[in-house]
Amino acid sequence: MENVSVFSVCGMCTVRCPIRVKVENGRVSFIEGNPHVPAMKGAVCPRGAAGTALIYDSERPQTPLIREGNRGKGKWRKASWDEAFDYVAERLKKIKDKYGPESIVFTDRGGPFRDYHRAFLRGLGTPNYSNHDSSCARNVQHSALSLTGKGRKAVAYDFKNCKHVVLQFRNIFESVNVQEVNNLMDAMEKGCKLSVIDIRANVSAAKANNFMKIRPGTDYAFNLAVINEIISTRLYDEKFKGTYIEDFDALKKFVAPYTPEWAEGETGIPAQQLRKFTKELAQAAPAVIWHPGWMAARYTDSFYICRSIYIINALMGSYGAKGGLAFISKPGDVGRKGLKKFMDLYPKPKGKRADGVGWKYKHFEEGPGLAHLLFKAMEKEDPYPVKGYIAYRHDPLMGYPEPERLKQMWDNLDLLVSVTFSWSDTAWYSDVVLPMSPYLEKESIIATKNALKPQFFVRKRSVDPCYDTKADWEIVSGLAKRLDLPDLVFEKVEDLWNFQLDGTGVTIDDFDDKGMVTLANKPVYLNFEDYSFKTPSGKIEMISKKLEDNGITSLKPYESPVKPKEGEFRLTFGRCALHTQGHTVNNAMLFEQMPENVLWIHTDEAEKLGISDGDIVHVTQNNYTEDIKAKVTDVIHPEAVFVIHGFGHTLEVETRALNKGLADNKFMAGGMEIWDQAGGAIAYQEHFVTVSKA
Ligand SMILES: Nc1nc2c(c(=O)[nH]1)N[C@H]1C(S)=C(S)[C@@H](COP(=O)(O)OP(=O)(O)OC[C@H]3O[C@@H](n4cnc5c(=O)[nH]c(N)nc54)[C@H](O)[C@@H]3O)O[C@H]1N2
Ligand SMILES: Nc1nc2c(c(=O)[nH]1)N[C@H]1C(S)=C(S)[C@@H](COP(=O)(O)OP(=O)(O)OC[C@H]3O[C@@H](n4cnc5c(=O)[nH]c(N)nc54)[C@H](O)[C@@H]3O)O[C@H]1N2
Ligand code: SF4
Ligand SMILES: [Mo]
C-alpha cells in the first residue's frame, strides 16, 4: 500500500485544529498541525498526538449494541447496523405518533459540524435541540448578547497583536487552543504582558508577569473595583465611550461604592496591586484582551463576572481594535456566499421548547437552550412528556452534577440512545449504543470558520474504520432513510458536500491543496464610521432592556460568597494539558502520562489535618466519600481544594481508567438545581467538601 498524507481536522477536543495525517500501509503513522496554517506551527497538542491510540483502542464500542438487562447493567446484544437503525427508527416513530414530535429530544457537544443533524431534528419536527453549553460557556454567551446583541463568537481574540492579556478563570496554557497559544507566545516575545487572576498558580500563572491569587467566588468584586478605578481616574477610551457605550452614567453611579480598598477585603488582592495593574492595562489599550472566560459555569454570579469583563474591554476600547476583541467576518461580509444549509430544507418547528427557553425564560437565547432544564422537564413531564432522547457525542452523566439524580430524571424515557466513539457513563446507561467512527476514520460535513479571514474547512477520512463503526453523516443518513426524510439521505459523502457547496463558487477539489478554502485575502478590522452593535441603540448597552423586562437586573450589586465552614473546602476544578474532559482518561498514550488526578490542598490546611504531600485522603460530602492522593502546595487559596475534572471512572470496560482518581461531579449534591438564573449555566463551584487522611 502507498503512503499518503491527508488534510483533516483534529477531534480530540472541540477546538478542532487543522491537521495533516500521515498514513503508511493503511495505518496512521503521524499527526501534525496543518502546515498551511501558520499559527499551528506544524504542531498539535499532546492530546492531538494521541489520536492514534484512540483508533487502535479495543476498549471502545465496536458494533451497534442493544440493551438486554436493566439500564446501566451492561448486558448488551451485538446488532448489525440495519437492525440498530430499524430498532431506533421504529421507537422514534412510535413516540412521535403517541406524544408528538417534540417528545423527541437531542443533545450534542456543540461545534461547527451541526447543520446536518440539526436539520434531521427539524425534519422530525422537534424544537428540542440542546447541547452541553449550560455546563460550559452559556454565561459568557448570554453576557455577550446582553451587552452587544451579538454572541461571544462575534469577536476573535487577536492575541498575535495584543499588548496586555488578562486571564481570569481561563488557563490558556493548559486548557489549550493551539493557534491561540502560539499567537499569544509570539506576542509575549514582542513584549505583550500577561496578567493572571486565579485561585491557584497554574501553568499560565507561571508564565505571567503579574499573578493575582484571588479568594474563590470573589471575582466580581475585583472587577467592579477595576471598573471603579478606570472611571474615577478617567483611564477609559474617550472616543470609544462616546461612540459606543450607552448608559455610561448609570455604570459610573453603580460602581462608585466598589473601591479598590473595599475589594481588597473581599478578594485578598491588595488595593495598590489592583491600581497598578489597572494603570498598566490602560497603557496598553486598545490592544488589550481581558478574556471573558470559557468554562464560566462556576458561580451563581458568573454571568455578572463575564459582563464586567466585557464592560472593561469596552472601556479599554478593545472591541474591534487590532490586538483586542477583533470583529470577525462571515462569508457574506467579505462578499462571498455561505454554505447552503441543510436546516433550510425544513421550517423551524413551531412547538414550545421543553426547557422553557424562549417562552418561560425569554431572556435566554433559543439556539441550544439549557440541557439541565430539559432533563428536569423529562422528570416532571412538564410542559409535556419527553420520551425519546438521543445523546450525540455527549456524556451528561459525567458532565452534569450528581449523576444518580440525573439517571432518575431519565427514568420516564422510553428510548435513550447514545451516539459515541468512546465508552461513557451515558453510553453505558443507554438502550442503544450507535458507535461513531473516531475522527481519523471518518469524514465530516464542510464547516465555516468565521474569522478575521473567514474560511470553509473539511475533515477527510484518513483511514478506514477498524471496527464496525460509522461516520456521523452515515448514522444520520441511516436514520433519515427510515424516518421518511429523503432529502437527508446520502449514499456518498461527495453528494453531501456538493449540496453544501452549491452556489458558493467553491468545489470539493479546492480543498485538496490545503484542507481549507480561505474566503478573504487579508484580515478585516473595525471601521469606526460604519459599525454598529445589534442592540436597540446600536451601542454596547450597560442596561439591557431584555434583561430588565424579564425581571433581571443589568447591574447587579455584589454579594459576598459563603465562606466554607470550619473543616470544609470549596471544591474547585479545571483542566490539564494531557486530557480532554472525561473522554481521554482511558486513552492508552495519555493514560500512561497521567493516570489519575490529585487533590490540591494548601500547606497550612493540610498541616492542620495531618496530611502530607502524596498521602491518600478521603474527600467527603453528605456521607459520600472517594479517595485521592493529596498534592500539598502553597500556590492554592486555602479556602479551596482543586482537582482536574474527568477522572473517577467506574466502567469495567475501561480497564485503564477504572477507579483512578476522583469524580468531582459526584460531590455536587443538589447541583442540578443550583444555576445562574441570569446567565443560565450550572454553578458547579457552589459546593463544599471535607478532607481527612485515609
Ligand atoms: N464537575 C464538572 N463538570 C463539568 C466540567 C468540569 O470541569 N467539572 N466541565 C464542563 C465542560 S467545560 C464541558 S465542555 C462539559 C463536557 O461534557 P461532555 O461534552 O459531555 O464531555 P466530553 O467528554 O467532551 O464528550 C462526551 C462524549 O462525546 C464524545 N466526543 C467528545 N468529543 C468528540 C468529538 O470531537 N467527536 C466525536 N465524534 N465524539 C466526541 C466522547 O465519546 C465523549 O464520551 O462538561 C462540563 N461538566
Ligand atoms: N487540554 C485541554 N484543553 C481544553 C479542554 C480539556 O479538557 N483539556 N477542554 C476545552 C473546554 S470544553 C473548555 S470549556 C476549555 C476550558 O478552558 P478554561 O476555562 O480556561 O479551563 P479550566 O481549567 O476549566 O479553568 C481555568 C482556571 O479557572 C480557575 N478557577 C477556578 N475557580 C476560580 C475562581 O473562582 N476564580 C478564578 N479567577 N479562577 C478560578 C482554575 O484554577 C483554572 O486554572 O478548555 C478547552 N480546552
Ligand atoms: S487543541 Fe489539541 S486536542 Fe484540541 S483540537 Fe487542537 S490539537 Fe486537537
Ligand atoms: Mo467546555
Side-chain angles (χ1 to χ4, degrees):
M1 256 189 240
E2 54 175 339
N3 298 342
V4 288
S5 68
V6 184
F7 290 117
S8 186
V9 180
C10 183
M12 292 297 284
C13 86
T14 37
V15 170
R16 307 196 192 282
C17 294
I19 53 174
R20 186 164 69 180
V21 182
K22 297 222 164 106
V23 180
E24 288 177 41
N25 300 320
R27 280 178 78 91
V28 173
S29 58
F30 190 62
I31 302 169
E32 61 188 342
N34 183 332
H36 299 292
V37 180
M40 287 301 293
K41 303 202 169 180
V44 287
C45 84
R47 299 164 298 147
T52 47
L54 169 65
I55 44 180
Y56 303 119
D57 187 357
S58 60
E59 294 191 346
R60 61 178 168 97
Q62 300 176 10
T63 65
L65 296 166
I66 297 176
R67 176 170 67 81
E68 297 233 288
N70 286 343
R71 276 198 185 132
K73 296 292 172 218
K75 277 199 169 170
W76 300 105
R77 167 164 63 86
K78 285 188 183 172
S80 68
W81 276 99
D82 272 336
E83 189 186 355
F85 281 146
D86 287 345
Y87 184 100
V88 173
E90 232 167 72
R91 278 157 184 77
L92 289 179
K93 262 190 198 154
K94 263 197 203 144
I95 291 169
K96 189 174 166 182
D97 290 346
K98 189 160 172 200
Y99 300 99
E102 59 278 4
S103 189
I104 299 170
V105 308
F106 183 106
T107 65
D108 71 13
R109 178 66 173 78
F113 301 121
R114 287 182 292 172
D115 178 35
Y116 183 53
H117 62 254
R118 290 191 68 182
F120 170 72
L121 296 174
R122 278 200 173 179
L124 289 178
T126 176
N128 289 314
Y129 161 73
S130 190
N131 70 14
H132 72 298
D133 212 38
S134 78
S135 70
C136 181
R138 266 300 87 181
N139 287 329
V140 190
Q141 172 72 1
H142 281 139
S143 67
L145 282 168
S146 74
L147 285 157
T148 65
K150 292 191 170 191
R152 70 184 177 111
K153 291 188 178 157
V155 294
Y157 309 121
D158 189 11
F159 287 115
K160 202 172 179 67
N161 299 301
C162 189
K163 298 201 175 117
H164 196 147
V165 171
V166 185
L167 302 176
Q168 184 174 30
F169 54 92
R170 174 75 184 95
N171 182 8
I172 198 168
F173 288 109
E174 290 177 271
S175 303
V176 174
N177 171 323
V178 173
Q179 295 184 59
E180 286 187 358
V181 168
N182 286 335
N183 284 336
L184 176 56
M185 288 200 302
D186 284 351
M188 285 170 74
E189 269 172 30
K190 285 189 286 173
C192 171
K193 282 210 164 80
L194 178 65
S195 294
V196 170
I197 306 157
D198 207 289
I199 54 151
R200 62 182 182 118
N202 53 22
V203 171
S204 305
K207 293 185 191 289
N209 307 78
N210 180 17
F211 168 53
M212 290 169 276
K213 186 155 77 176
I214 193 163
R215 187 181 145 222
T218 65
D219 292 84
Y220 190 41
F222 182 82
N223 295 6
L224 290 177
V226 169
I227 299 175
N228 173 304
E229 179 69 8
I230 291 172
I231 294 179
S232 58
T233 56
R234 300 186 75 94
L235 288 173
Y236 49 83
D237 183 317
E238 275 292 351
K239 184 172 172 212
F240 191 91
K241 171 192 160 247
T243 323
Y244 286 121
I245 299 185
E246 184 77 352
D247 317 308
F248 178 82
D249 291 340
L251 177 71
K252 183 174 173 180
K253 191 164 160 235
F254 169 67
V255 296
Y258 301 121
T259 61
E261 282 69 24
W262 164 82
E264 178 173 342
E266 284 296 316
T267 64
I269 298 171
Q272 278 322 310
Q273 193 175 3
L274 184 151
R275 289 211 161 87
K276 184 164 172 275
F277 156 69
T278 308
K279 202 168 164 193
E280 282 175 5
L281 191 67
Q283 280 162 356
V288 303
I289 299 170
W290 188 317
H291 197 291
W294 191 348
M295 201 300 172
R298 295 187 188 271
Y299 298 105
T300 48
D301 68 354
S302 284
F303 170 76
Y304 291 100
I305 303 176
C306 297
R307 269 180 62 91
S308 63
I309 296 176
Y310 279 124
I311 290 172
I312 296 169
N313 281 302
L315 293 170
M316 293 288 105
S318 110
Y319 271 95
K322 189 166 185 178
L325 303 184
F327 297 114
I328 50 119
S329 295
K330 294 182 174 165
D333 300 328
V334 295
R336 300 291 295 262
K337 211 158 170 257
L339 295 171
K340 191 163 127 192
K341 288 191 181 141
F342 292 108
M343 280 175 81
D344 290 340
L345 287 168
Y346 307 97
K348 187 177 171 212
K350 289 203 188 70
K352 287 177 174 177
R353 293 185 59 97
D355 57 15
V357 172
W359 57 279
K360 190 168 169 194
Y361 303 105
K362 289 197 185 140
H363 60 295
F364 295 135
E365 177 192 35
E366 276 198 53
L370 299 172
H372 58 284
L373 297 183
L374 178 64
F375 299 143
K376 268 177 90 165
M378 290 177 182
E379 181 177 43
K380 303 268 186 262
E381 306 214 333
D382 175 19
Y384 45 74
V386 169
K387 294 291 177 184
Y389 171 29
I390 303 176
Y392 187 95
R393 301 182 26 235
H394 192 196
D395 183 11
L397 290 179
M398 169 74 74
Y400 278 87
E402 31 170 25
E404 293 308 316
R405 176 85 186 87
L406 188 49
K407 285 179 189 169
Q408 282 171 8
M409 293 181 168
W410 291 350
D411 273 352
N412 285 330
L413 292 171
D414 290 347
L415 179 70
L416 172 54
V417 180
S418 260
V419 183
T420 179
F421 66 61
S422 61
W423 274 113
S424 67
D425 291 339
T426 303
W428 196 249
Y429 198 69
S430 298
D431 305 331
V432 182
V433 176
L434 299 179
M436 191 187 261
S437 304
Y439 64 103
L440 295 167
E441 298 183 341
K442 70 178 175 194
E443 310 80 4
S444 296
I445 63 172
I446 301 170
T448 308
K449 182 168 181 182
N450 297 324
L452 286 168
K453 284 200 289 183
Q455 54 172 247
F456 297 147
F457 63 101
V458 69
R459 170 186 282 144
K460 294 210 175 153
R461 186 182 293 233
S462 305
V463 289
D464 284 329
C466 46
Y467 303 122
D468 190 13
T469 59
K470 283 192 188 294
D472 319 34
W473 69 270
E474 294 172 304
I475 296 177
V476 174
S477 200
L479 290 173
K481 194 169 173 179
R482 289 160 176 84
L483 288 160
D484 310 317
L485 300 169
D487 289 344
L488 293 180
V489 180
F490 291 92
E491 297 298 329
K492 293 204 312 268
V493 75
E494 287 77 13
D495 295 341
L496 190 148
W497 288 335
N498 287 336
F499 173 99
Q500 294 185 281
L501 291 173
D502 186 28
T504 60
V506 175
T507 70
I508 194 64
D509 296 338
D510 297 338
F511 292 82
D512 287 351
D513 281 352
K514 298 182 176 171
M516 75 204 101
V517 174
T518 306
L519 304 173
N521 297 328
K522 59 177 200 324
V524 187
Y525 289 94
L526 167 72
N527 183 343
F528 253 87
E529 281 70 51
D530 51 30
Y531 192 87
S532 69
F533 292 92
K534 250 190 161 168
T535 49
S537 64
K539 299 182 181 184
I540 302 179
E541 297 184 343
M542 300 301 111
I543 309 286
S544 154
K545 186 166 181 310
K546 194 169 178 186
L547 286 182
E548 306 281 332
D549 284 352
N550 287 287
I552 289 170
T553 175
S554 306
L555 299 170
K556 191 180 92 62
Y558 175 77
E559 285 171 50
S560 194
V562 217
K563 280 217 171 197
K565 292 193 200 99
E566 184 63 32
E568 287 192 343
F569 300 89
R570 190 182 286 271
L571 179 60
T572 68
F573 55 77
R575 267 135 272 282
C576 62
L578 287 166
H579 285 290
T580 303
Q581 314 291 42
H583 75 262
T584 57
V585 179
N586 202 51
N587 177 298
M589 277 163 93
L590 297 171
F591 174 83
E592 196 181 291
Q593 295 182 62
M594 181 173 173
E596 61 184 2
N597 57 358
V598 294
L599 185 84
W600 295 42
I601 181 167
H602 192 271
T603 316
D604 296 345
E605 300 299 318
E607 199 173 308
K608 281 187 223 162
L609 297 165
I611 294 167
S612 311
D613 192 44
D615 281 353
I616 304 291
V617 295
H618 299 311
V619 175
T620 304
Q621 184 193 61
N622 283 356
N623 297 322
Y624 179 77
T625 299
E626 286 189 28
D627 288 354
I628 183 172
K629 206 179 273 173
K631 170 183 162 117
V632 176
T633 166
D634 285 338
V635 301
I636 183 167
H637 195 280
E639 281 183 19
V641 287
F642 173 91
V643 291
I644 299 296
H645 169 64
F647 289 82
H649 290 221
T650 55
L651 298 182
E652 291 186 356
V653 275
E654 298 183 307
T655 57
R656 293 174 288 267
L658 182 64
N659 295 328
K660 295 285 187 328
L662 170 143
D664 56 342
N665 56 325
K666 294 189 179 153
F667 294 86
M668 300 178 173
M672 291 296 277
E673 314 290 336
I674 305 175
W675 54 282
D676 186 327
Q677 306 288 320
I682 296 276
Y684 286 86
Q685 285 192 178
E686 302 286 9
H687 298 276
F688 299 89
V689 294
T690 57
V691 180
S692 59
K693 193 169 166 169

